[in-house]
Amino acid sequence: MEQSTARRSRGITREQILDVALELFNERGYDKTSLREIAERLGVTKAALYYHFERKEDLLLGLHLRLHALGREILDDLDALEDERQIVAAWPKLLDRFIDEVLANRDLFRFHQRNERALHSLGDNEQHAAENDDLAERFRRFLGNPAIPLADRVRMTCSVTALLGGLMAGEEVYGDDVTMDEVASHVRAVIRDLYPPA
Amino acid sequence: MEQSTARRSRGITREQILDVALELFNERGYDKTSLREIAERLGVTKAALYYHFERKEDLLLGLHLRLHALGREILDDLDALEDERQIVAAWPKLLDRFIDEVLANRDLFRFHQRNERALHSLGDNEQHAAENDDLAERFRRFLGNPAIPLADRVRMTCSVTALLGGLMAGEEVYGDDVTMDEVASHVRAVIRDLYPPA
DNA sequence: GTCTATATTTCGATAGAC
DNA sequence: GTCTATCGAAATATAGAC
């Protein structure tokens, strides 16, 4: 696990490229980030990147897959639930797991949040491999289910965005003297108020 | 108040250009939207746009100012409050006003949400006229105030993002048979659970 | 105030040497 | 596996006629 500021050992890996791409996509956005910049930060040339990734879009896809691996389990569990009663009952526990995942992978979730449009346009090209598997897309389909009362669906939407909003605002917002663990415990308290124990 | 699909009366106004820009920025994103597309939808040429806006970035600035006018009043009221006690007491009422504003201007808020990075990079060029006045930026500074307990600040963050998330997911998520008024009333219920009346 | 035409820049992508 | 060099496309922006 070597940091990505100055390369010396010749030979670069896909994962190292994705690490730097994630950094830059979060700093400047996917569209505004050029392959030249990524190559520069890695200390290689543009052409070197093309050995590992055929197209710029494949960087997006690579990062998408990282995120996908994280959220898949939770969403599969969600889809396995049958009726509204089960869903609402399981929701607080699912959110709790989700908080852990977001905490451990804030860069990746920030990337997804800030580049949602770019990610969505992946689906146009790569058959629908992207679109159908996209986490946000699956979640949106779930929220469209008219069998669940609207009040519940709105509340679920709010709880997820509250969670993301509370956690994504990190030290740079709350101040450097707070820890993410503190923030997370407050977020959990907020979630509890939205879904009080019966 | 004329719609923006086919121009005939010669002469085009800044506001009409901004209307179309807002549409396209929301559909395709700021970066991916070219001046050629904006001009085409307006039925004029690229060069015509340059008569009204010197640079593409100025379209961003124009839309930013529209949003700024909306949120300024609320944020001024917020800044006028002295201590934590007053702020927390006033918070539910401020959120209620905010809900009305978001409901009445969803396109504009969606634009801000989906193009936050592009908007933020405005501050680099236009002195800090943009950065210092940016709504999100002012709100972030507010959230950094260590005089307010972290628990309150996290809760305020969550409540705002919950509100935005719940309202921004509109008919296209919840289904075409729901009205935004229904959604809004459920969002207000969520907010009440976060700030129960004493 | 809008047009045609063009200048300028930047980017994604490829070819071929090493 | 990385390099130099370059191509072609597309975008922003400008010049000048009407």
Side-chain angles (χ1 to χ4, degrees), chain A residues 58-99:
Chain A
D58 290 343
L59 293 172
L60 216 49
L61 187 59
L63 291 173
H64 169 74
L65 292 179
R66 280 190 180 180
L67 190 70
H68 181 247
L70 287 179
R72 166 157 213 156
E73 203 181 330
I74 290 185
L75 265 170
D76 285 347
D77 286 0
L78 185 57
D79 283 346
L81 300 174
E82 296 291 333
D83 56 22
E84 167 221 342
R85 182 185 296 267
Q86 285 185 359
I87 291 171
V88 175
W91 195 250
K93 276 206 185 330
L94 288 179
L95 286 184
D96 229 52
R97 282 164 59 192
F98 192 50
I99 288 177

Coordinates of all heavy atoms in Angstrom, one line a residue, chain A residues 58-99:
Chain A
D58 N -13.3 3.8 -18.9 CA -13.0 2.6 -18.1 C -12.5 2.9 -16.7 O -12.6 2.0 -15.8 CB -12.0 1.7 -18.9 CG -12.6 1.1 -20.2 OD1 -13.8 1.1 -20.3 OD2 -11.9 0.7 -21.0
L59 N -12.0 4.1 -16.5 CA -11.6 4.5 -15.2 C -12.9 4.6 -14.3 O -12.9 4.2 -13.2 CB -10.8 5.8 -15.2 CG -9.5 5.8 -15.9 CD1 -8.9 7.2 -16.0 CD2 -8.5 4.9 -15.1
L60 N -13.9 5.2 -15.0 CA -15.1 5.4 -14.3 C -15.7 4.0 -13.9 O -16.2 3.8 -12.8 CB -16.1 6.1 -15.2 CG -17.1 7.1 -14.7 CD1 -16.5 8.1 -13.8 CD2 -17.7 7.9 -15.9
L61 N -15.7 3.2 -14.9 CA -16.2 1.8 -14.7 C -15.5 1.1 -13.6 O -16.1 0.4 -12.7 CB -16.1 1.0 -16.0 CG -16.8 -0.3 -16.0 CD1 -18.3 -0.2 -15.7 CD2 -16.6 -1.0 -17.3
G62 N -14.2 1.2 -13.6 CA -13.3 0.6 -12.5 C -13.7 1.0 -11.1 O -13.9 0.2 -10.2
L63 N -13.9 2.3 -11.0 CA -14.3 2.8 -9.7 C -15.7 2.5 -9.3 O -16.1 2.2 -8.2 CB -14.1 4.4 -9.7 CG -12.7 4.8 -9.7 CD1 -12.6 6.3 -9.9 CD2 -12.0 4.4 -8.4
H64 N -16.6 2.4 -10.4 CA -17.9 2.0 -10.1 C -18.0 0.6 -9.6 O -18.8 0.3 -8.7 CB -18.7 2.1 -11.4 CG -20.1 1.4 -11.4 ND1 -21.1 2.0 -10.7 CD2 -20.5 0.2 -11.9 CE1 -22.2 1.2 -10.8 NE2 -21.8 0.1 -11.5
L65 N -17.1 -0.3 -10.1 CA -17.1 -1.7 -9.6 C -16.7 -1.8 -8.2 O -17.1 -2.6 -7.5 CB -16.3 -2.5 -10.6 CG -16.9 -2.7 -12.0 CD1 -15.9 -3.5 -12.8 CD2 -18.2 -3.3 -11.9
R66 N -15.7 -0.9 -7.8 CA -15.3 -0.9 -6.4 C -16.5 -0.6 -5.5 O -16.7 -1.3 -4.5 CB -14.2 0.2 -6.2 CG -12.8 -0.2 -6.6 CD -11.9 0.9 -6.1 NE -10.5 0.7 -6.5 CZ -9.5 1.4 -6.1 NH1 -9.7 2.5 -5.4 NH2 -8.3 1.1 -6.5
L67 N -17.2 0.4 -5.9 CA -18.4 0.8 -5.0 C -19.4 -0.3 -5.1 O -20.1 -0.6 -4.1 CB -18.9 2.1 -5.5 CG -20.0 2.7 -4.7 CD1 -19.3 3.2 -3.4 CD2 -20.7 3.9 -5.4
H68 N -19.6 -0.9 -6.2 CA -20.7 -1.9 -6.4 C -20.4 -3.0 -5.5 O -21.4 -3.6 -4.9 CB -20.7 -2.3 -7.9 CG -21.7 -3.3 -8.1 ND1 -21.4 -4.6 -8.5 CD2 -23.0 -3.2 -8.1 CE1 -22.5 -5.3 -8.7 NE2 -23.5 -4.5 -8.5
A69 N -19.2 -3.4 -5.4 CA -18.9 -4.6 -4.5 C -19.3 -4.3 -3.1 O -19.8 -5.1 -2.3 CB -17.4 -4.9 -4.6
L70 N -19.2 -3.0 -2.7 CA -19.5 -2.6 -1.3 C -21.0 -2.7 -1.0 O -21.4 -3.2 0.0 CB -19.0 -1.2 -1.0 CG -17.6 -0.9 -0.9 CD1 -17.3 0.5 -0.6 CD2 -17.0 -1.8 0.3
G71 N -21.8 -2.1 -1.9 CA -23.2 -2.0 -1.6 C -24.1 -3.2 -2.0 O -25.2 -3.3 -1.6
R72 N -23.5 -4.1 -2.8 CA -24.3 -5.1 -3.3 C -25.0 -6.0 -2.3 O -26.2 -6.3 -2.4 CB -23.4 -6.1 -4.2 CG -24.1 -7.4 -4.5 CD -23.5 -8.0 -5.8 NE -24.5 -8.7 -6.5 CZ -24.5 -9.0 -7.8 NH1 -23.5 -8.6 -8.5 NH2 -25.5 -9.7 -8.4
E73 N -24.2 -6.3 -1.2 CA -24.8 -7.2 -0.2 C -26.0 -6.6 0.5 O -27.0 -7.2 0.6 CB -23.7 -7.5 0.8 CG -23.9 -8.7 1.6 CD -22.8 -8.9 2.7 OE1 -21.6 -8.4 2.4 OE2 -23.0 -9.5 3.7
I74 N -25.9 -5.3 0.8 CA -27.0 -4.7 1.5 C -28.2 -4.6 0.5 O -29.4 -5.0 1.0 CB -26.6 -3.2 1.9 CG1 -25.6 -3.3 3.0 CG2 -27.9 -2.4 2.3 CD1 -25.3 -1.9 3.6
L75 N -28.0 -4.3 -0.7 CA -29.2 -4.2 -1.6 C -29.8 -5.5 -1.9 O -31.0 -5.6 -2.1 CB -28.7 -3.5 -2.9 CG -29.0 -2.0 -2.9 CD1 -28.4 -1.3 -4.1 CD2 -30.5 -1.7 -2.9
D76 N -28.9 -6.5 -2.0 CA -29.5 -7.9 -2.2 C -30.4 -8.3 -1.0 O -31.5 -8.8 -1.2 CB -28.4 -8.9 -2.3 CG -27.7 -8.8 -3.7 OD1 -28.3 -8.2 -4.6 OD2 -26.6 -9.4 -3.9
D77 N -29.9 -7.9 0.2 CA -30.8 -8.2 1.4 C -32.1 -7.5 1.3 O -33.1 -8.0 1.6 CB -30.0 -7.8 2.7 CG -28.9 -8.8 3.0 OD1 -28.8 -9.8 2.2 OD2 -28.2 -8.6 4.0
L78 N -32.0 -6.2 0.8 CA -33.2 -5.4 0.7 C -34.2 -6.0 -0.2 O -35.4 -6.1 0.0 CB -32.8 -4.0 0.3 CG -33.9 -2.9 0.2 CD1 -34.5 -2.8 1.6 CD2 -33.3 -1.6 -0.2
D79 N -33.7 -6.4 -1.4 CA -34.5 -7.0 -2.4 C -35.2 -8.3 -1.9 O -36.2 -8.7 -2.4 CB -33.8 -7.2 -3.7 CG -33.6 -5.9 -4.5 OD1 -34.3 -4.9 -4.1 OD2 -32.8 -5.9 -5.4
A80 N -34.5 -9.0 -1.0 CA -35.0 -10.3 -0.5 C -36.2 -10.1 0.4 O -37.0 -11.0 0.5 CB -33.9 -11.0 0.2
L81 N -36.4 -8.9 0.9 CA -37.5 -8.7 1.8 C -38.8 -8.7 1.0 O -38.8 -8.1 -0.1 CB -37.3 -7.4 2.6 CG -36.1 -7.4 3.5 CD1 -35.9 -6.0 4.1 CD2 -36.2 -8.5 4.6
E82 N -39.8 -9.2 1.6 CA -41.1 -9.4 0.8 C -42.0 -8.2 0.9 O -42.2 -7.5 -0.1 CB -41.8 -10.6 1.3 CG -41.0 -11.9 1.1 CD -40.9 -12.3 -0.4 OE1 -41.8 -11.9 -1.2 OE2 -39.9 -13.0 -0.8
D83 N -42.5 -7.9 2.1 CA -43.6 -6.9 2.1 C -43.1 -5.7 2.9 O -42.0 -5.7 3.5 CB -44.9 -7.5 2.7 CG -44.6 -8.1 4.1 OD1 -43.6 -7.7 4.7 OD2 -45.4 -8.9 4.5
E84 N -43.9 -4.7 2.9 CA -43.6 -3.4 3.5 C -43.3 -3.6 5.0 O -42.3 -3.0 5.5 CB -44.9 -2.5 3.4 CG -44.9 -1.3 4.2 CD -46.3 -1.1 4.8 OE1 -47.2 -1.7 4.2 OE2 -46.4 -0.4 5.8
R85 N -44.0 -4.5 5.7 CA -43.8 -4.7 7.1 C -42.4 -5.1 7.4 O -41.7 -4.6 8.2 CB -44.8 -5.7 7.6 CG -44.7 -6.0 9.1 CD -45.7 -7.2 9.4 NE -47.1 -6.8 9.2 CZ -47.9 -6.3 10.1 NH1 -47.4 -6.1 11.3 NH2 -49.1 -6.0 9.8
Q86 N -41.9 -6.1 6.6 CA -40.6 -6.6 6.8 C -39.5 -5.5 6.5 O -38.5 -5.4 7.2 CB -40.3 -7.8 5.8 CG -41.0 -9.1 6.2 CD -40.6 -10.3 5.3 OE1 -39.9 -10.1 4.4 NE2 -41.1 -11.4 5.6
I87 N -39.8 -4.8 5.4 CA -38.8 -3.8 5.0 C -38.6 -2.7 6.1 O -37.5 -2.4 6.5 CB -39.3 -3.1 3.7 CG1 -39.2 -4.1 2.5 CG2 -38.4 -1.9 3.4 CD1 -39.8 -3.7 1.2
V88 N -39.8 -2.2 6.5 CA -39.7 -1.1 7.5 C -39.0 -1.7 8.8 O -38.2 -0.9 9.5 CB -41.0 -0.5 7.8 CG1 -41.0 0.5 9.0 CG2 -41.6 0.1 6.6
A89 N -39.3 -2.9 9.1 CA -38.7 -3.5 10.3 C -37.2 -3.6 10.2 O -36.4 -3.4 11.1 CB -39.3 -4.8 10.6
A90 N -36.7 -4.0 9.0 CA -35.3 -4.3 8.8 C -34.5 -3.0 8.5 O -33.3 -3.0 8.6 CB -35.1 -5.2 7.6
W91 N -35.2 -1.9 8.2 CA -34.6 -0.7 7.7 C -33.5 -0.2 8.7 O -32.3 0.1 8.2 CB -35.6 0.3 7.4 CG -35.1 1.5 6.6 CD1 -34.9 2.7 7.0 CD2 -34.7 1.4 5.2 NE1 -34.4 3.5 6.0 CE2 -34.3 2.7 4.9 CE3 -34.7 0.4 4.3 CZ2 -33.8 3.1 3.6 CZ3 -34.2 0.8 3.0 CH2 -33.8 2.1 2.7
P92 N -33.8 0.0 9.9 CA -32.7 0.6 10.8 C -31.5 -0.3 10.8 O -30.4 0.3 10.8 CB -33.4 0.5 12.2 CG -34.9 0.6 11.9 CD -35.1 -0.2 10.6
K93 N -31.6 -1.6 10.8 CA -30.4 -2.4 10.8 C -29.6 -2.2 9.5 O -28.4 -2.2 9.5 CB -30.8 -3.9 11.0 CG -31.0 -4.3 12.5 CD -30.7 -5.8 12.6 CE -31.0 -6.3 14.0 NZ -30.8 -5.3 15.1
L94 N -30.3 -2.1 8.4 CA -29.6 -1.9 7.1 C -28.9 -0.6 7.1 O -27.8 -0.5 6.7 CB -30.7 -2.0 6.0 CG -31.2 -3.3 5.6 CD1 -32.2 -3.2 4.5 CD2 -30.1 -4.3 5.2
L95 N -29.5 0.4 7.7 CA -28.9 1.7 7.7 C -27.6 1.7 8.6 O -26.6 2.3 8.3 CB -29.8 2.8 8.3 CG -31.0 3.2 7.4 CD1 -31.8 4.3 8.1 CD2 -30.4 3.7 6.1
D96 N -27.7 0.9 9.6 CA -26.5 0.8 10.5 C -25.4 0.2 9.8 O -24.2 0.6 9.9 CB -26.9 -0.1 11.7 CG -26.5 0.6 13.0 OD1 -26.9 1.7 13.2 OD2 -25.8 -0.1 13.8
R97 N -25.6 -0.9 9.0 CA -24.5 -1.5 8.2 C -24.0 -0.5 7.2 O -22.8 -0.3 6.9 CB -25.0 -2.7 7.5 CG -25.1 -3.9 8.4 CD -26.0 -5.0 7.8 NE -25.5 -5.5 6.5 CZ -26.2 -6.3 5.6 NH1 -27.4 -6.6 6.0 NH2 -25.7 -6.6 4.5
F98 N -25.0 0.3 6.6 CA -24.6 1.2 5.6 C -23.7 2.3 6.2 O -22.7 2.7 5.5 CB -25.9 1.9 5.0 CG -25.7 2.7 3.8 CD1 -24.9 2.1 2.7 CD2 -26.2 4.0 3.6 CE1 -24.7 2.9 1.5 CE2 -26.0 4.7 2.5 CZ -25.2 4.2 1.4
I99 N -24.0 2.8 7.4 CA -23.1 3.8 8.0 C -21.7 3.3 8.1 O -20.7 4.0 7.8 CB -23.6 4.1 9.4 CG1 -24.9 4.9 9.3 CG2 -22.6 4.9 10.2 CD1 -25.6 5.3 10.6

